[in-house]
Amino acid sequence: MLKEKANELRLKTFETIYNAGGGHYGGSLSAVEILTVLYYDSMNLRPSEPEWPDRDRFVLCKGHAGPPLYVILADKGFIDPARLAELDKNGGSLPKHVDKLKVQGIEYSSGPLGQGLSVACGMAVAAKLDKKDLYVYALLGDGELDEGQIWEAAMTGAHYGLDHLIAIVDRNRNQIDGNTEDVMALEPLAAKWEAFGWHVQTVDGHDPEAIKTAIAQAKAVQGKPSVLIANTVKGKGVSFMENQYKWHSGQINDEQFDQAMKDLKGR
């Protein structure tokens, strides 16, 4: 069920970016299964009551992956689906990078990389002080881990024992200007997070059931935050985009659109 929903959302995400004239295809398509599990299984939300105090929080640290999140918010009833046509349009209400002030259901306005995990830590600290039994989820890009502030936040999460904080790294191994290991090597990534005091799991980021199981295991951890390193494919589902860093953002022609539709509808 979750896999079928993810395929549906990936197709809609691709069409939404294409109709906007182009945009962040690669990192949007790699994150679809992760977002699907969060919004259709793991998170406790009320679309009819978006500011419900006891809701789980989601921080999209890699704010350029707004399109699949917008598609999900429309599908879940947070926003009018007609607004998807306004993605990245002058005067439109859906900016390329997510904006809390413009889009209901967005918890944090992101775009500048490296800051989101700090915000998620703050949310988790506040929930702990308020004795609220809610979870805070943060989705990071792996290229984003080049930012030093990420590791300051990692220290913070461990120091305060934020066991209701679950970070997920979209480990597609490509960032805007190359392979992550060529730009700034991240490996051994799991060992780094463990050294910072986090509970670490490595998971197939395109297997919804594996993600679902890993989140359940993370929720059982006490006294420390958890991180899922989700191995994914940049541009997942579109043959000429997969594992190609140049499709971090871009535009396509009609022939490429037709090929992408064949790829995505054939899944």
Side-chain angles (χ1 to χ4, degrees):
M1 185 70 176
L2 287 171
K3 187 64 177 176
E4 288 76 13
K5 174 56 73 171
N7 290 340
E8 171 193 326
L9 295 170
R10 178 171 281 109
L11 176 60
K12 185 62 177 178
T13 295
F14 186 90
E15 291 175 325
T16 299
I17 298 172
Y18 175 76
N19 290 335
H24 293 96
Y25 287 105
S28 291
L29 299 178
S30 66
V32 170
E33 280 82 5
I34 298 167
L35 292 169
T36 300
V37 173
L38 288 176
Y39 277 85
Y40 295 85
D41 181 81
S42 299
M43 291 178 65
N44 190 16
L45 301 168
R46 294 179 180 176
S48 62
E49 193 179 350
E51 297 298 321
W52 176 43
D54 294 324
R55 70 192 182 281
D56 288 338
R57 270 55 166 188
F58 173 67
V59 175
L60 182 65
C61 305
K62 45 175 284 180
H64 53 279
L69 181 53
Y70 292 151
V71 167
I72 288 171
L73 292 177
D75 188 56
K76 296 288 287 185
F78 284 91
I79 63 173
D80 184 346
R83 289 178 62 186
L84 295 175
E86 299 180 26
L87 175 65
D88 201 27
K89 295 289 195 294
N90 287 335
S93 64
L94 290 188
K96 183 178 293 187
H97 297 84
V98 295
D99 187 337
K100 175 179 172 61
L101 300 180
K102 293 184 177 180
V103 186
Q104 188 167 271
I106 299 294
E107 297 284 355
Y108 165 66
S109 302
S110 52
L113 297 176
Q115 300 175 7
L117 187 59
S118 296
V119 173
C121 283
M123 291 178 176
V125 168
K128 191 172 185 178
L129 291 172
D130 291 340
K131 295 181 170 49
K132 288 187 175 294
D133 188 27
L134 59 85
Y135 283 86
V136 180
Y137 299 87
L139 178 59
L140 301 93
D142 52 1
E144 183 177 11
L145 303 187
D146 295 351
E147 298 282 354
Q149 186 173 340
I150 293 293
W151 302 103
E152 295 179 35
M155 286 192 291
T156 300
H159 178 79
Y160 289 103
L162 300 179
D163 50 18
H164 277 46
L165 171 62
I166 301 175
I168 304 173
V169 178
D170 183 358
R171 185 71 170 115
N172 60 42
R173 296 181 178 271
N174 286 280
Q175 56 193 95
I176 191 169
D177 48 3
N179 181 278
T180 58
E181 301 313 286
D182 294 330
V183 176
M184 182 63 68
L186 294 171
E187 295 299 338
L189 186 56
K192 285 186 172 74
W193 283 100
E194 288 172 353
F196 274 77
W198 287 56
H199 177 260
V200 183
Q201 299 177 75
T202 301
V203 65
D204 180 348
H206 296 305
D207 182 342
E209 290 304 317
I211 300 168
K212 178 180 174 179
T213 298
I215 290 175
Q217 291 177 359
K219 288 183 174 181
V221 172
Q222 296 184 349
K224 62 171 63 177
S226 290
V227 60
L228 277 57
I229 299 174
N231 289 315
T232 62
V233 175
K234 193 145 189 158
K236 177 68 174 178
V238 179
S239 56
F240 60 88
M241 289 185 175
E242 289 194 345
N243 289 314
Q244 300 295 316
Y245 75 86
K246 70 177 182 179
W247 287 110
H248 178 87
S249 183
Q251 297 175 314
I252 61 174
N253 57 36
D254 292 342
E255 182 180 352
Q256 289 172 316
F257 176 77
D258 291 340
Q259 179 61 54
M261 287 296 99
K262 291 179 183 178
D263 294 340
L264 294 169
K265 291 181 178 179
R267 292 179 62 76

